[in-house]
Amino acid sequence: MSELDVTAYIEAQGEPKRSTLLAVRKLILEIEPSLEQVIAWNSPQFKFNGKYAVGLAAFKNHLTFSPQSPEVMAAHAEDLAEFVTSKSSFQFGVDQVLSKELLSKLIKARLAQF
């Protein structure tokens, strides 16, 4: 599974999910260009040095971003207060591109765990 598979996953989504996922993926890769794109758990995931770092997923009425770390989620609870959160991910609107500032905080915190 590769970048082509991630692109296929995103392209298979209807609008506005497709545009939002493309924009969020672009931001993720701007923040950390070395991330490897794969499909795992039936959704786009980004690996760092062979380990799963962050992921995206599309659902019927929302999208999710996962730093795959309860510690990162807890440390950034204030930044995530407006979102529906779970132990290691949060939901965002199908037409809501996450800010580069928020993604940068979460991605850098997650990569610091490796």
Side-chain angles (χ1 to χ4, degrees):
M1 300 288 179
S2 68
E3 179 181 346
L4 292 176
D5 298 309
V6 172
T7 299
Y9 175 98
I10 293 172
E11 292 295 335
Q13 305 303 316
E15 286 297 344
K17 292 178 193 174
R18 180 182 320 120
S19 295
T20 303
L21 288 169
L22 285 169
V24 172
R25 175 174 74 169
K26 182 179 179 207
L27 290 170
I28 290 168
L29 294 172
E30 284 175 9
I31 294 162
E32 184 50 63
S34 70
L35 291 173
E36 176 190 0
Q37 299 177 64
V38 299
I39 295 289
W41 306 290
N42 298 316
S43 63
Q45 303 295 316
F46 299 82
K47 293 172 92 174
F48 184 73
N49 293 334
K51 296 180 182 179
Y52 291 101
V54 299
L56 294 171
F59 294 90
K60 183 177 179 182
N61 296 314
H62 67 274
L63 304 173
T64 64
F65 178 82
S66 175
Q68 300 177 353
S69 167
E71 295 82 12
V72 170
M73 291 292 292
H76 294 86
E78 200 170 292
D79 294 315
L80 299 171
E82 69 181 85
F83 300 99
V84 174
T85 61
S86 68
K87 186 176 178 181
S88 61
S89 67
F90 64 93
Q91 298 177 10
F92 61 104
V94 296
D95 59 353
Q96 177 186 7
V97 176
L98 298 172
S99 75
K100 188 171 185 177
E101 177 185 7
L102 176 61
L103 286 171
S104 185
K105 284 181 185 181
L106 296 171
I107 292 167
K108 288 177 180 182
R110 176 64 175 135
L111 297 183
Q113 293 181 319
F114 293 109

